[in-house]
Amino acid sequence: MTLRHLSRGQLERIRAAGGDPVGRAAAFADACRINALYMIARAGSGHVGTSFSCMDILSWLHLEVLEEGDRYFSSKGHDAPALYSVLIGTGALPFEGLHGLRRLGGLPGHPDAVETPELWTSTGSLGMGVSKARGFARANRLQGRRGRVFVLTGDGELQEGQFWESLGPTANGGFGEITAIVDHNKLQSDTFVSEVSDLGDLERKAEAFGWAAARCDGNDIQELASALDRLAAEHERPKLLVADTLKGAGVSFMEPHDLPVASTSLYGFHSGAPTPGEYERALAELEARLAERLAAIGLPAPELTSGEPPRRPPGPVRPQRLVSAYGQALVREAERDPRVVALDADLMLDTGLVPFRERFPDRFVECGIAEQDMVSQAGAMALAGLLPVCHSFACFLAARPNEQIYNNATEETKVVYVGSLAGLVPGGPGHSHQSVRDISALGAMPGMSLIEPYCERELELALRWALQEAGGPVYLRLVSVPWELGFEAPPQDALLEGRGTVVRDGEDALLVAAGPVMVSQAFAAAEALREDGIHCGVVALPWLRGIDGAWIAELAADAPILCLDNHYASGGQGDALLAALAEAAPEAAGRVRKLAVERVPRCGTNDEVLSAHRLDAASVAERVQAELGVRA
Amino acid sequence: MTLRHLSRGQLERIRAAGGDPVGRAAAFADACRINALYMIARAGSGHVGTSFSCMDILSWLHLEVLEEGDRYFSSKGHDAPALYSVLIGTGALPFEGLHGLRRLGGLPGHPDAVETPELWTSTGSLGMGVSKARGFARANRLQGRRGRVFVLTGDGELQEGQFWESLGPTANGGFGEITAIVDHNKLQSDTFVSEVSDLGDLERKAEAFGWAAARCDGNDIQELASALDRLAAEHERPKLLVADTLKGAGVSFMEPHDLPVASTSLYGFHSGAPTPGEYERALAELEARLAERLAAIGLPAPELTSGEPPRRPPGPVRPQRLVSAYGQALVREAERDPRVVALDADLMLDTGLVPFRERFPDRFVECGIAEQDMVSQAGAMALAGLLPVCHSFACFLAARPNEQIYNNATEETKVVYVGSLAGLVPGGPGHSHQSVRDISALGAMPGMSLIEPYCERELELALRWALQEAGGPVYLRLVSVPWELGFEAPPQDALLEGRGTVVRDGEDALLVAAGPVMVSQAFAAAEALREDGIHCGVVALPWLRGIDGAWIAELAADAPILCLDNHYASGGQGDALLAALAEAAPEAAGRVRKLAVERVPRCGTNDEVLSAHRLDAASVAERVQAELGVRA
């Protein structure tokens, strides 16, 4: 497959074209679509549908609306490729960024104001946009500066309570300098917003909260421009523009024309790279339309620059696929126990719940992007005698409904929380999605067990234990990316509380880890060290709290104990191990070393990220050597 | 002062009265007001204003509306004395509970479904009510049970995003069996809702979210009954009744008639016990009105039962008052640094911010009960070059905006978070307010320093350090209750990173603690142990993360190190101390023992609670003896 993009010169030529600004922006938007598609195809992942839906809005704003002192940012974050391609198109971001989406040192999967200082704020956790807009506006007022604030939100995002929480105060404060634009493409992660959790009449709601509201076709730049002009006449009230768009706009087969509006229909271009065939067809369409649009403003057809996509390492051959194994196991458990109910926060596909929904439609509750509502609802269901299981990505589930989870825990009922996408990898989405703080955030919930299985079998046992044996709430932490262990997982009959599986013997050092990513790195490190005559034991220890310290101490004998944490150093498994040893085997506590995430996760390929954080096998081996005083 | 209440027999007589149910409920409500006032006066604390505002609603619901299978619960939680007095009045709760508000083994300060199994759910964290109502209703549907769900919310509470997050899905699911009643008394903690963060047209908003809405005088039982009847005719849509009430309703001087609607007016009867004079006047008014209402339904005047209030220990003589000292210190810091901006979430009085607001009205941002909005707003202000300081109770600040704090932290800006009401005491409000999980919840925020000062001087130094020296975000954890140290705090010039203050020398054991409550218990334990010839050193260590392990190890020499955590055992200062020692002085790590909160905090007087959790001086002394093998 050859990937093609528009060069800096081609983009400059469009920007410099005279005549009709609407026609120019439309051409620019298609040029940026071609480049966003290039970025995503090159990266191998990214959100193409939502990038395309808002491309016309971004182009118009950046070419014609934003003035010195104004700020624009996206609240939804999935549209990062769109934003990057537009900012590259205007020259605000270095052109080379086009080749570095989701790579270490390149452009992160979600906007990141530290890695990309040209951006105003980091996004990717939903619902924060209007609050941040008011923070910027308030800072302007306090600092005597002028400037408007434009924030783009998704539509599924509006299911988050914080969005509504932020509307009232923004109106009460008379923040007329704020314009929120809703990229209303009507499809959230899995399917139609109306099927997941319908938003009702958005304009009416916004007006009820004291905002000026308008609506337009957000893929029709003339309509968009007129709507923004009309709203600009409103000086006192903040402004909300509902921009009706098409997800995947600009590529006919990515638009949901043929998708029936029903909860069983899943949109195919939410995330992930296009196949080679899809790429070619999309590019051909975009190139043809760009040629038309260029002709309309008196420019010749586009000339695209070709390049090879980067070679990718082969995928894992026999990976542990925890999420799909989880989905199957949950169905089996629910067949045994009629109390089991599954709740989801718009990540049905990513949390493995499609089989459950098909098997038990009445016991499946789609909550939308509303984690707090989901968790409190589950709490009441548990009080009423059900056994609710709540699902989301670990980064969101541990944090957004943190107080609600605590409230449930104090009621001494059982709710099971399943957080997927845990840990550093996949490294592409960036730190808003790389969950390396969840163990700490949930680590002191009274009565809660925290478990991270390393293989499919251990996962099945963990789920069984959580549902049938645990006396209180359970947090099940799952690595989502299919992952090769590099060894055969030993047979396992049961989950022993506080203990794990010795996957490798060795007396010079004991490596302790949870989850497939860290266990595989520990194992590979031990393999490499054997060549130097160093023999490391490796324990897959699923318990993130409540560790059997005596058991670990006995395994370690007098050797150093290195705990690999797919988590920040504070509050992870390493700290729990230390606490367990200090209580059960004090003499061993001083031999614990924590290998953990020491800074905000980098964005990049999985290998890049593990290596950047010194949690890849080679780094682990080096640290064992250092600990043993070998080639330190 | 003599306290008086209505006996079980008097209450039964009212319930048994024939004739007009409206008149009976009105009399019952006043009887319950007398008993709620008794409970609060006896406890020495409680929320009288909000208990009285909703008393007519609770009485009508429990006497005439609720049927077998229906559930009623309060979302706001502050109205616990009202709920208890009504349930005692109907016989649903044991009568003896009247004497045990906020006492160990009695009735907790906020509803607690574990301590009081007659209640459906635990509340006190705001905004969760409608989500829980839907959970109960959904459970009914799944279990084939019938029954309506009634939930009472506050009005200030509606500033929480979760309330709005929960409205849409409840309407979409056609949960006509749910009725939410807003106790719209128009005053939140500090002052008028309209001044803090105006709610606008609530009925219009609810209708926009797909709910059936109505409005009535919530202190006029006839009007209330009619409004509920009208709404009951609505079968498909969930129902929201805005009940206009008066805070303190039923006692003329507790009603806000003379309070000007202005942000500088503070309502006087939100929380706390009445003075003896206020008690007498309120009781006289209530007794007279009850007599009238009883006469109207053909009953003789009430006969009240007298009793003595419990004797209280004398208050501290020279307490550390961290919150007021903080308020003064923040003003001084803001005078030095024009970047400082203070944000509050409706706890201006309780977080010490009144002096700041008076001195810098333009730099004070009242956000209302909207912690997520506050924190994201602060994040943007920090990106724009300001130095925002966010305030709330520790229990709410660490949990509700947990993801927003992380998002800010990943931007590598500085926001200071000040969480007051930290730890086990005051023990009266109950576990929703006893913050013993905040260190864990915030403990892995990248770059964040966590500090808990033990005296006013250390607090001033900590605030100075946070604003002027810290390189990243800071969490300042404050005990709110004025607290006597029991010793003179040594002079202190500066806050040394990772280190603390040796407040007592001793070589047999080293007690490490943060904050005035734990440091004072450690000191008192050391004093007591001296009589047995055991000499304990005591270190006030304000750092909850980033501890200088080598320094502690040197202080301890070969002695055991006992860390007192005003926090759950997991993720508190004890774990951080262990981690620091394992790194800097491994041989000392095995000598660390954690004394911490091991279960959900009990509700009671401060002494009761510290003792129940074995964190009072006597228990600490016992544990030192056990550790040293003395009288184990």
Side-chain angles (χ1 to χ4, degrees), chain A residues 121 131 134 138 373 411, chain B residues 121 131 134 138 373 377 411:
Chain A
T121 178
S131 303
R134 193 162 74 265
R138 208 184 279 280
D373 186 46
E411 291 179 330
Chain B
T121 178
S131 303
R134 193 161 74 266
R138 207 184 280 280
D373 186 46
Q377 194 184 168
E411 292 179 329

Side-chain angles (χ1 to χ4, degrees), chain A residues 71 112-114 120-126 128 130-136 138-139 142-143 145 159-162 164-166 168-169 172 197-199 201 204-205 207-209 341 362-363 365 367 369-374 376-378 380-381 383-386 395-396 398-400 402-404 406-412 431-432 434 436-437 439-446 545 567-568 570-571 575 578-579 582-583 586-587 589-594 599-601, chain B residues 71 112-114 120-126 128 130-136 138-139 142-143 145 159-162 164-166 168-169 172 197-201 204-205 207-209 341 362-363 365 367 369-374 376-378 380-381 383-386 395-396 398-400 402-404 406-412 431 434 436-437 439-446 545 567-568 570-571 575 578-579 582-583 586-587 589-594 599-601:
Chain A
R71 282 183 171 93
D112 183 327
V114 175
W120 292 111
T121 178
S122 299
T123 52
S125 299
L126 295 176
M128 304 180 185
V130 171
S131 303
K132 292 188 179 202
R134 193 162 74 265
F136 286 129
R138 208 184 279 280
L142 281 167
Q143 294 163 330
R145 290 200 298 243
Q159 290 157 355
E160 284 288 6
Q162 187 181 354
W164 304 100
E165 180 174 310
S166 67
N172 291 342
S197 184
D198 190 44
L199 294 170
D201 184 339
R204 184 179 169 203
K205 285 183 179 177
E207 295 270 2
F209 277 84
V341 178
D362 294 342
R363 289 156 65 185
V365 185
C367 300
I369 308 173
E371 297 82 6
Q372 303 187 49
D373 186 46
M374 171 174 73
S376 292
Q377 194 185 169
M381 294 168 106
L383 286 164
L386 296 174
C395 49
F396 307 138
R400 189 62 68 105
N402 188 277
E403 188 176 10
Q404 288 77 7
Y406 184 54
N407 177 263
N408 289 351
T410 62
E411 291 179 330
E412 298 182 0
H431 61 70
S432 60
Q434 288 161 296
V436 292
R437 199 181 60 85
I439 306 176
S440 170
L442 298 177
M445 294 287 172
R545 290 288 182 273
H567 188 275
Y568 287 123
S570 177
D575 276 353
L578 254 174
E583 199 165 317
E587 72 290 352
R591 280 184 276 117
V592 173
R593 297 293 173 270
K594 298 191 295 181
R599 53 149 290 169
V600 177
Chain B
R71 283 184 171 94
D112 183 327
V114 175
W120 292 111
T121 178
S122 300
T123 50
S125 299
L126 296 176
M128 303 180 186
V130 172
S131 303
K132 292 187 179 204
R134 193 161 74 266
F136 285 129
R138 207 184 280 280
L142 282 167
Q143 295 164 329
R145 292 198 300 241
Q159 291 157 357
E160 284 288 5
Q162 188 182 354
W164 304 100
E165 180 173 309
S166 67
N172 291 342
S197 183
D198 190 45
L199 294 170
D201 184 339
R204 184 181 171 203
K205 286 183 179 177
E207 294 270 2
F209 277 82
V341 179
D362 294 343
R363 289 156 65 184
V365 185
C367 300
I369 308 173
E371 298 82 6
Q372 303 187 50
D373 186 46
M374 171 174 74
S376 291
Q377 194 184 168
M381 293 168 106
L383 285 164
L386 296 174
C395 49
F396 307 139
R400 189 60 68 104
N402 188 276
E403 189 176 9
Q404 288 78 8
Y406 184 54
N407 177 263
N408 289 351
T410 63
E411 292 179 329
E412 298 183 359
H431 61 68
Q434 287 162 296
V436 292
R437 200 181 58 86
I439 306 175
S440 170
L442 298 177
M445 295 286 173
R545 291 288 182 272
H567 188 276
Y568 287 123
S570 177
D575 276 353
L578 256 173
E583 198 165 319
E587 72 290 352
R591 280 185 277 117
V592 173
R593 296 295 172 269
K594 297 191 294 181
R599 53 150 288 169
V600 176

Side-chain angles (χ1 to χ4, degrees), chain B residues 173-515:
Chain B
F175 285 94
E177 62 269 52
I178 294 177
T179 301
I181 304 176
V182 181
D183 179 14
H184 194 19
N185 63 30
K186 300 169 194 66
L187 280 159
Q188 49 195 110
S189 296
D190 290 334
T191 187
F192 288 93
V193 176
S194 58
E195 291 297 320
V196 173
S197 183
D198 190 45
L199 294 170
D201 184 339
L202 278 177
E203 291 164 84
R204 184 181 171 203
K205 286 183 179 177
E207 294 270 2
F209 277 82
W211 285 54
R215 191 157 188 153
C216 72
D217 180 340
N219 295 127
D220 179 325
I221 292 183
Q222 184 64 62
E223 255 208 47
L224 172 72
S226 305
L228 284 171
D229 281 348
R230 281 197 311 278
L231 278 175
E234 168 75 43
H235 293 292
E236 298 299 318
R237 289 184 294 171
K239 300 169 258 284
L240 183 104
L241 177 60
V242 181
D244 287 302
T245 59
L246 285 170
K247 203 153 177 173
V251 174
S252 57
F253 66 88
M254 290 182 178
E255 297 170 357
H257 300 296
D258 302 326
L259 195 65
V261 179
S263 60
T264 47
S265 319
L266 299 175
Y267 175 72
F269 299 95
H270 174 71
S271 62
T275 65
E278 286 165 352
Y279 178 78
E280 296 296 347
R281 283 166 61 205
L283 182 62
E285 245 191 70
L286 288 169
E287 195 175 354
R289 198 170 72 162
L290 175 57
E292 278 174 38
R293 287 181 164 181
L294 289 176
I297 56 171
L299 291 180
E303 286 171 28
L304 270 60
T305 307
S306 294
E308 297 296 314
R311 288 216 191 141
R312 290 183 207 296
V317 180
R318 290 180 53 202
Q320 299 297 313
R321 297 184 186 276
L322 296 190
V323 171
S324 57
Y326 170 78
Q328 300 298 337
L330 185 67
V331 169
R332 290 195 298 274
E333 295 299 323
E335 281 167 348
R336 294 160 46 104
D337 189 336
R339 297 172 305 158
V340 173
V341 179
L343 298 94
D344 173 50
D346 189 38
L347 289 166
M348 187 170 37
L349 270 175
D350 292 298
T351 58
L353 288 177
V354 173
F356 185 95
R357 187 189 63 162
E358 284 172 3
R359 177 75 179 79
F360 301 106
D362 294 343
R363 289 156 65 184
F364 175 77
V365 185
E366 179 50 72
C367 300
I369 308 173
E371 298 82 6
Q372 303 187 50
D373 186 46
M374 171 174 74
V375 167
S376 291
Q377 194 184 168
M381 293 168 106
L383 285 164
L386 296 174
L387 188 34
V389 189
C390 292
H391 302 78
S392 185
F393 284 159
C395 49
F396 307 139
L397 187 59
R400 189 60 68 104
N402 188 276
E403 189 176 9
Q404 288 78 8
I405 293 174
Y406 184 54
N407 177 263
N408 289 351
T410 63
E411 292 179 329
E412 298 183 359
T413 53
K414 191 201 291 192
V415 178
V416 177
Y417 304 92
V418 183
S420 50
L421 207 72
L424 283 172
V425 296
H431 61 68
S432 60
H433 288 57
Q434 287 162 296
S435 186
V436 292
R437 200 181 58 86
D438 50 318
I439 306 175
S440 170
L442 298 177
M445 295 286 173
M448 181 182 274
S449 304
L450 290 88
I451 310 177
E452 180 174 358
Y454 82 104
C455 67
E456 295 172 4
R457 175 63 183 155
E458 189 172 66
L459 161 67
E460 292 161 4
L461 294 169
L463 181 63
R464 168 76 50 91
W465 185 88
L467 293 171
Q468 298 304 330
E469 297 187 44
V474 178
Y475 175 55
L476 214 53
R477 185 180 203 243
L478 299 186
V479 163
S480 283
V481 65
W483 200 263
E484 187 111 47
L485 289 178
F487 63 91
E488 189 75 31
Q492 203 176 346
D493 291 335
L495 201 73
L496 288 181
E497 289 188 40
R499 301 189 178 186
T501 303
V502 177
V503 299
R504 189 187 170 92
D505 290 314
E507 64 285 353
D508 294 330
L510 183 67
L511 302 179
V512 177

Side-chain angles (χ1 to χ4, degrees), chain A residues 477-524:
Chain A
R477 184 180 203 241
L478 299 186
V479 163
S480 282
V481 65
W483 200 264
E484 186 111 48
L485 289 178
F487 62 92
E488 188 76 30
Q492 203 176 347
D493 291 335
L495 202 72
L496 288 180
E497 289 188 40
R499 301 189 178 185
T501 304
V502 178
V503 299
R504 188 187 171 92
D505 290 314
E507 65 284 354
D508 293 331
L510 184 67
L511 303 179
V512 177
V517 175
M518 287 300 108
V519 170
S520 67
Q521 303 310 302
F523 193 90

Side-chain angles (χ1 to χ4, degrees), chain A residues 244-274:
Chain A
D244 287 302
T245 59
L246 285 170
K247 204 153 177 173
V251 174
S252 57
F253 66 88
M254 291 182 177
E255 297 170 357
H257 301 294
D258 303 325
L259 196 64
V261 179
S263 60
T264 48
S265 319
L266 300 175
Y267 175 72
F269 299 94
H270 173 72
S271 61

